[in-house]
């Protein structure tokens, strides 16, 4: 029997090859850092060579044709997977610290490209400046990738209600002007790069005026990369605690912007349609959840009899860590793992919220929760008033019922997968005799699958995922990948209908 | 300003009054037990008097009129609440043990009427035989109440996709023959009573033939009440472990029947439409989840290096405790709390499944999960094949899209509320300095809100909810109530649209 594959996979290879060949360009940045600091250049030369060979091979095997949904999903899934594999090569070739081990290198790289920010490193000093910058840079690239993916691809395919975004702000105007992925990608790259440069300037100027002694140019670039990408790696083992309060406030701004819809930013900056900004319910919801969660965390910390924080510190750390987790960045301005159960549970809940659709944020995202809440309210209403037909509206635009259903499905699937990973972590830890509490496991599962990064306990902000067994790390790698590209594209690959119908 | 209430609440009072006046009849049963054993009769005389006075008062205030959705929801919510309050009176008047305290008495009573089976008792010997039988009986009454509610009311109002049941088996045939709630209730009462009598005969005959020494007539009645109602209270502090293996197998059958759709049982028994039974996908799913979960639990127990169970014991305890939790009964044949994390997590996951719609089971229920799984599969399919329109079918009947959405909403709301209660339990315990682990809290939250009963640790099968602070117990009482009557009816009471539009 001949199995007929109906997916034009050679077309997918063409897209993958193109993306990989572009990847060689940013790889020259850590190479230059290595040259500047006199560090080994092999990690990057080898990786650039591997990338170009792979890209060349892909292009040789590729065929022309239309990128339909399936070809795109296949390409997207493989791009994230292959870039994670390529991203691991510098760690392996450098061969320092825990990331000399293949599973750890792959974990760190997948955590990077998915903008997760969970680390398996133990001693940060074991690694060179260039390797640490590569770690920061892949997060920035991952942020760019997700911007393009979310705006140009997922919204078109209607993944988990992502079509909402289309009806909302971006594609109806921008994509009609610029109907090709490449053009959309160019606009996004320009905007993203501009915001990143502004972040570098902001952070480094704090250093220059003397209020941020540790925020060198290196650190300014490193933190601009991972804040705007809501990604969260830091070359400092104590993350943002290493910096002065003013730097922490600046990072709050960067994270906040990174998790704001880039379409919205584009509209505000170009002054094209300010009304859209004022009408944007998702933005208000995003801001509202930050204010509410910060207030709850600050209250919980204040009521904690064991707190040693002064009022200014309480407010600053509450805002910083709430924004960090809610935007799915994952920096820490203090070890919030020692906070009370109340404060930690609020942060845990924030993991599931996320920033705005069409930003670099991960997790479920504000827009989906807004739809869920409105749908709940509507269901309560229509149950007692069955004769009333009341469509759900977001930002004055009706949301069609199919989208409501897709959003529900997406949220539910996310919760089920996060729970599944939790159980895996607990059971796997028990198997090898590692003590992992339920809350640690819940946190680690959510923090990897929803691409937050750090969680609590062993996986806490100053901890490391290194201690987890290789099987758990592999499961986390898999779920970081699935979670980052919005679950559905990867899952469809495992259905018969994807390949055969 | 005059606030105009648009709900015909006096009509609701009429229904409540009627139900309460019927409640006096079963109250004579523990009264007779008390007389038989020479125990105080005041607990029941006082309660009968209180019930009749309340019923009389309600009827005096009531008005004639149509019971529309709102009047019905108001009546249903208040019936469960008032019966729980009335059910607490015998405990308070008896004044023995922990249930002498009002919050505890209310907890035990609400746990009874909602068929939860979570107990705050510590020393079972502190209570009289008649009080213990009252505790069993309110569970049986709660089971009857939920059968009538689910079949005659919720399916009509379409709560959380409960309209599926209508299109499925019961109301299309039975309700067309018997269009009134009273007639449906009469059929259900007959069927339910008949099954209960069969259970008594089964259990007591095991005693009479000498294979079940402890299964006296008292115990046979007590366990028939709480197994068929999937409710789980037992007068024995070690639950079903107190009995011989053959009794445990018999109880498995009773629990399994209790969580089977009573419409399906009715069809099979009356031989009216056997095809419906063969086509019933929900029944296959229900059976399938039991087999799968039992297999997983048995495997987990076998792989546990610390297990002391022989093969027969492993199989029996895996089946018993899986069926117990999956049907939301909550008996235990052994202290499964000492099992491995893997086994306990499978049992925890089973808490969220439940038996069939239209039975006495609680939790989310097989039918809803079946719809969710089919909707997930369909979403994966239609994402890659957008042009294909494929309705979801359950038992060969198409499910309309509104129902799919309602089911999603219901499942999601259940998970969110279970998580909310978990956080409340952890934070409240930390407040009073009580050590409660996350997993204990998750278990206790799910076990109360989803009406399972026992969970793990402190709230384990041989444990007690007594140690939780009064605030936590109050939250649990509230969520047992909300959970048992399928969430939506209670939540609608807290919307403005319920009262004013
Ligand atoms: K992150
Ligand atoms: K129960």
């Amino acid at each position: 029997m001949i199995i007929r594959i109906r997916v034009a996979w050679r077309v997918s290879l063409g897209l993958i090859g193109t993306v990989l060949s572009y990847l060689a360009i940013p790889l020259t940045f850590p190479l230059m850092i290595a040259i500047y600091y006199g560090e080994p250049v092999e990690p990057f030369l080898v990786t650039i060579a591997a990338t170009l060979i792979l890209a060349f091979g892909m292009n040789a095997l590729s065929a022309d044709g239309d990128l339909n949904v399936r070809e795109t999903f296949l390409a997207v899934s493989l791009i994230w997977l292959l870039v994670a594999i390529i991203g691991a090569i510098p760690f392996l070739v450098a061969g320092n610290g825990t990331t000399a081990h293949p599973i750890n290198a792959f974990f760190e790289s997948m955590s990077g490209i998915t903008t997760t920010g969970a680390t398996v490193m133990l001693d940060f000093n074991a690694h060179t400046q260039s390797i640490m910058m590569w770690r920061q840079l892949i997060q920035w690239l991952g942020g760019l990738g997700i911007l393009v993916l979310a705006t140009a691809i997922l919204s078109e395919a209607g993944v988990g209600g992502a079509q909402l975004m289309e009806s909302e702000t971006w594609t109806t105007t921008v994509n009609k002007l610029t109907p090709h992925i490449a053009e959309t990608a160019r606009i996004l790259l320009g905007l993203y790069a501009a915001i990143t440069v502004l972040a570098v300037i902001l952070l480094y100027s704090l250093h220059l005026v003397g209020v941020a002694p540790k925020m060198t140019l290196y650190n300014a670039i490193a933190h601009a990369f991972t804040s705007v990408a809501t990604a969260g790696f830091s070359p400092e083992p104590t993350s943002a605690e290493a910096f002065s309060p003013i730097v922490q406030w600046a990072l709050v701004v960067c994270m906040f912007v990174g998790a704001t819809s880039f379409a919205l930013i584009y509209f505000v900056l170009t002054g094209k349609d300010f009304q859209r900004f004022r009408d944007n319910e998702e933005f208000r919801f995003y801001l509202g959840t930050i204010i509410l969660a910060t207030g709850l965390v600050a209250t919980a910390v204040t009521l904690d009899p064991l707190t040693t924080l002064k009022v200014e510190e309480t407010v600053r750390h509450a805002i910083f860590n709430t924004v960090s987790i809610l935007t799915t960045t994952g920096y820490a301005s203090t070890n919030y793992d020692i906070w009370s159960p109340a404060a930690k549970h609020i942060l845990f809940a924030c993991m599931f919220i996320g920033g705005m659709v069409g930003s670099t944020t991960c997790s479920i995202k504000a827009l989906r929760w807004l739809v869920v809440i409105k749908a709940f309210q509507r269901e309560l209403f229509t149950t007692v008033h069955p004769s009333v037909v009341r469509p759900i509206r977001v930002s004055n635009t009706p949301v069609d019922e199919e989208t409501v259903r897709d959003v529900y499905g997406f949220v539910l699937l996310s919760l089920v997968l996060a729970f599944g990973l939790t159980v895996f972590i607990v059971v796997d830890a028990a198997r090898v005799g590692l003590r992992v509490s339920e809350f640690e496991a819940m946190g680690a599962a959510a923090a990897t699958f929803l691409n937050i990064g750090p969680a609590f306990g062993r996986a806490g902000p100053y901890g490391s995922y290194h201690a987890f067994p290789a099987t758990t790390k592999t499961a986390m790698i898999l779920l970081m990948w699935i979670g980052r590209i919005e679950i559905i594209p990867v899952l469809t690959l495992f259905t018969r209908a994807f390949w055969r119908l």
Side-chain angles (χ1 to χ4, degrees), chain A residues 125-348:
Chain A
N125 291 321
H127 303 276
T128 61
Q129 300 276 59
S130 49
I131 283 291
M132 292 308 274
M133 187 55 89
W134 170 238
R135 187 169 164 268
Q136 304 291 124
L137 177 62
I138 45 173
Q139 293 217 309
W140 188 81
L141 295 173
L144 176 63
I146 210 65
L147 279 178
V148 176
L149 177 67
T151 308
I153 296 169
L154 296 184
S155 67
E156 297 291 322
V159 167
Q163 62 270 40
L164 268 182
M165 189 182 154
E166 184 190 22
S167 69
E168 230 246 298
T169 44
W170 184 270
T171 40
T172 41
T173 46
V174 177
N175 268 8
K176 266 176 198 158
L177 296 171
T178 60
H180 305 297
I181 293 178
E183 184 59 21
T184 308
R186 190 146 46 224
I187 293 178
L188 284 167
L189 173 61
L191 187 57
Y192 185 59
I195 292 173
T196 309
V197 168
L198 284 176
V200 174
I201 292 170
L202 171 66
L203 294 171
Y204 191 52
S205 60
L206 293 175
H207 179 73
L208 294 179
V209 300
V211 293
K214 291 195 76 176
M215 193 46 88
T216 58
L217 183 59
Y218 179 93
N219 263 338
I221 294 171
H223 287 88
F225 278 166
T226 59
S227 59
V228 172
T230 61
F233 273 153
S234 168
E236 297 293 333
T238 54
S239 190
E241 191 175 359
F243 301 100
S244 52
I246 186 89
V247 170
Q248 294 172 356
W249 287 112
L251 288 175
V252 166
V253 174
C254 296
M255 294 188 283
F256 181 80
V257 170
T260 303
S261 163
F262 273 59
L264 204 59
I265 295 172
Y266 182 78
F267 285 120
V268 172
L269 290 183
T270 58
K272 268 187 187 156
D273 194 350
F274 205 73
Q275 185 64 35
R276 274 185 184 279
F277 173 66
R278 276 194 301 249
D279 288 347
N280 196 295
E281 266 191 276
E282 191 196 8
F283 182 77
R284 291 203 298 267
F285 184 83
Y286 166 51
L287 196 60
T289 51
I290 287 178
I291 293 169
L292 177 69
T294 299
L296 290 173
V297 169
T299 306
V301 170
T302 306
L303 293 179
D304 181 4
L306 302 175
T307 187
T308 56
L309 299 178
K310 300 190 191 74
V311 174
E312 183 274 336
E313 290 170 324
T314 300
V315 171
R316 175 161 47 85
H317 293 315
I319 292 184
F320 188 96
N321 296 292
T322 304
V323 168
S324 170
I325 286 187
L326 198 135
T327 60
T328 75
T329 308
Y331 288 148
S333 64
T334 185
N335 186 8
Y336 58 72
D337 194 41
I338 61 165
W339 285 357
S340 67
K344 287 201 278 186
H345 275 82
I346 299 159
L347 292 179
F348 176 73

